[in-house]
Amino acid sequence: LGHDIHFHDKKIALLEAGPRKEYDRMPDSFSNRVSSISPGSATLLSSFGAWDHVCNLRLKPFRRMQVWDACSEAMIVFEKDDLDDMGYIVENDVIMSALTKQLDAVADRVEVFYGSRAVGYTWPLPSHSCDTSPWVQIELADGRRLQTKLLIGADGHNSVVRKEAEIKNIEHQYDQSAVVATLHLSEATDNNVAWQRFLPTGPVALLPLSDTASSLVWSTSHEHASELLSMDEESFVDSINSAFWSNINHSDFIDTAGAMFRSAISFLKPSGTAVRQLPPSIAKVDSESRAMFPLGMGHATEYVQHRVALIGDAAHRVHPLAGQGVNLGFGDIACLAHHLSAAAFNGSDLGSLKHLLKFETERQRHNVSLIAAIDVLKRLYSTSLAPLVLLRTWGLQATNALPPVKVRI
Amino acid sequence: TVKRLFSTSHSSVDSKEMKKFQLLAHKWWDEEGEYSALHSMNDIRVPFIRDTLLNMSSNYHLGNPLSGVKILDVGCGGGLLSEPLGRLGASVTGIDPLEDNIRTADQHKSFDPVLAKRIQYRSSSLEEIVEECMETFDVIVASEVVEHVADLETFIKCCSQVLKPEGSLFITTINKTQLSYVLGIVVAEKILGIVPEGTHEWEKFVPPEELQRLLESNGFSVKTVNGMLYNPLSGSWSWMESTSVNYAMHAVKSVAQGQSSPTGALSEMEREQSSATAGAAM
């Protein structure tokens, strides 16, 4: 927003709990928190000049995504026909640094309060003809007070803004934690494929960081996650390799049924079965790069109220299995920025519900079906019961063979 | 002549009209209340004013499009239109004969430090400021006002006096047709309650042809006429070809007066041209 021409003489304050993060050169080791950035999100970041900084620091484009089941041979491959990148794996610190640089460029309009925390909010009363200020009042931990026409809550899935505004949240804790780590491959390779295998305990994913390194995101039960964190590095590496390579969970029944379906498809649609590639094997893990965090799902019943808007995880929280969480947030930003810019050019009061509701409708329409689909996938793949495995095996094989459905995904 | 302008029988303010608005003076800023249709009218009238002015000037900044423009908002009410114009950078003077309206407007702008400086409100009729404001304003906006004035010709003459040469006059009002009686009074007031009952009197509605005639015989050249339509289901306004219910008009104060025939023919052509392009653009 600070870079938007129609916001030329507006004032924006950003309350950031963390410290300022800016890098001129990335350290040699990779951070264990990474995100998969879609091309659409990259476009948003380049619209205000941040993507250039990301490219100058560090990122890894990937061209192909292979997703397969541990309980069967079913597999789906996503690939763009032209030589375009499907997406980019970027460390979160890199994105933060790029954003910090671009914030500095509009420091006259945007003031960032690092290390700050809001302790109280005073909401305006709905009726307008009273003597108290119609704006939102914010009290900071250090005693300073701010007032604003529009408060945007981007404070994550435990959003305080959302709670204080009394917006109901539909939430559900998965009995899963995600384990992240930075891994080193046995041998250098092009490494432009993202791998994900659905184990009965949860999906395990390898996201490329460079020709020799990849990032691990392994969603599994809380107990297994703690085990993974506490075991020695060799055992950890062994667990990862076996997760990707072993066929323990296959049953003959499923294998036969799957093979039959596959031959049926290749009869009807010769190009419908893709070549299965083998994921890289892991040689070692960066010490101290292992970490875990709990997973859950959430969706706010309203994204907006008078003078308040929620974006990103404050509005919706998803399982990392689809790599979509941060991209949904970027989509929210692009939409809200578009509506606020138009409102500013019309001279409207920025906190007015009229344009905020347009943002809410547009995003809810887009987000709800995706959030529901991710939740369904998570549940569908959390079991090794034969009927469901068969269902998802055939479903995955069919989806892999049908270009129109794949393109939409 | 000065005395005549000040005598009430030729005043453009109608005291019956003032009483109607007195009762609702505190309801202006409730976006869902009695004035919700006026709030949503901002979505088309502000871009109309903004874009017309930007098209006429070559030197503006998109972040502050109306900076340096002096606007007079006649019949500003609670300041519904003054505030967005102020936010776009203009210096706005809002006048309204009803003190309660001005009080509401002043109070509402006081919370915003930027607006408080850009907008000045005065409780006054148009005639009362003519003397001290001769040729002061770049733009006059009279939105949903001319259907409430007692003497339209006097009103237009005063507008001409306070407007700089080549300044713009923007008017939005309601046409006097059978359709406007049905939609504007019967449906809007009595059936759907979009407008408080008794707000409008069909007799005082002004057809665009009449308004144009009055404007052009008082030194204005009409540049654009566009029909407007309110959709009660969505609560929003849109432009339409036909001016049979609501319409907006843009006129410019001609520099030289007394050359009525040649400029009359020229402005006819100009109007057809610009309303055709405006219709296509909208």
Side-chain angles (χ1 to χ4, degrees), chain A residues 49 70 109 159 206 242 252 300 409:
Chain A
R109 267 166 258 163
S159 168
L206 268 181
S242 105
D252 285 334
I409 299 180

Side-chain angles (χ1 to χ4, degrees), chain A residues 35-43 51 59-65 78-80 83-90 191-194 207-208 323-324 327:
Chain A
S35 299
S36 164
I37 303 294
S38 70
S41 301
T43 308
W51 190 244
L59 82 165
K60 186 81 177 81
F62 62 93
R63 300 253 162 84
R64 199 164 178 272
M65 206 154 86
F78 296 98
E79 202 161 25
K80 283 223 172 134
L83 292 172
D84 272 351
D85 299 322
M86 268 194 72
Y88 310 89
I89 305 298
V90 188
N191 207 12
N192 53 12
V193 181
L207 306 172
Q324 287 310 304
N327 294 309

Side-chain angles (χ1 to χ4, degrees), chain A residues 5-10 128-135 147 149 342 344-349 352-354 358, chain B residues 26 29-31 39-40 43 46-47 50-51 54 61-65 83-84 87-88 107 111-113 118:
Chain A
I5 185 88
H6 299 305
F7 269 70
H8 179 74
D9 34 328
K10 308 279 186 234
H128 294 266
S129 51
C130 48
D131 293 325
T132 54
S133 166
W135 295 12
Q147 59 165 357
K149 290 186 211 174
F345 194 45
N346 278 353
S348 306
D349 182 338
S352 160
L353 261 183
K354 242 183 330 181
K358 286 194 203 146
Chain B
H26 55 288
W29 286 99
D30 182 359
E31 282 183 29
H39 277 278
S40 60
D43 291 342
V46 173
R50 173 197 77 206
D51 293 340
L54 290 185
H61 186 281
L62 273 180
N64 210 342
E83 287 204 4
R87 281 198 200 97
L88 290 179
Q107 199 213 29
F111 295 116
D112 185 334
R118 287 211 189 122

Side-chain angles (χ1 to χ4, degrees), chain A residues 265-391:
Chain A
I265 290 184
S266 49
F267 182 66
L268 293 167
K269 200 177 190 317
S271 62
T273 53
V275 175
R276 174 194 292 277
Q277 277 190 0
L278 296 169
S281 78
I282 307 300
K284 79 181 189 69
V285 58
D286 258 356
S287 41
E288 279 157 63
S289 73
R290 281 186 270 176
M292 71 185 248
F293 52 92
L295 300 177
M297 165 277 202
H299 193 246
T301 49
E302 299 172 306
Y303 288 3
V304 300
Q305 256 186 23
H306 183 57
R307 299 206 185 283
V308 180
L310 297 176
I311 57 173
D313 276 16
H316 42 72
R317 179 190 184 197
V318 294
H319 196 281
L321 68 83
Q324 287 310 304
V326 77
N327 294 309
L328 281 180
F330 282 130
D332 289 345
I333 293 173
C335 181
L336 183 59
H338 166 78
H339 285 288
L340 287 181
S341 176
F345 194 45
N346 278 353
S348 306
D349 182 338
L350 290 175
S352 160
L353 261 183
K354 242 183 330 181
H355 51 266
L356 291 180
L357 282 174
K358 286 194 203 146
F359 153 74
E360 182 187 68
T361 310
E362 217 179 289
R363 287 314 286 174
Q364 282 193 333
R365 239 180 241 155
H366 176 273
N367 291 347
V368 170
S369 39
L370 188 55
I371 295 171
I374 294 176
D375 191 60
V376 163
L377 276 178
K378 188 255 168 211
R379 292 171 199 277
L380 182 61
Y381 275 94
S382 294
T383 171
S384 38
L385 292 176
L388 286 170
V389 175
L390 205 52
L391 179 69

Side-chain angles (χ1 to χ4, degrees), chain A residues 3 20 22 99-108 110 112 114:
Chain A
H3 285 262
R20 186 185 157 92
E22 194 179 355
L99 294 175
T100 306
K101 275 217 176 65
Q102 285 308 93
L103 279 173
D104 284 344
V106 287
D108 51 340
V110 183
V112 188
Y114 288 102

Side-chain angles (χ1 to χ4, degrees), chain B residues 88-105:
Chain B
L88 290 179
S91 306
V92 184
T93 303
I95 62 171
D96 197 301
L98 200 56
E99 262 188 51
D100 284 349
N101 284 347
I102 296 294
R103 229 195 314 272
T104 306

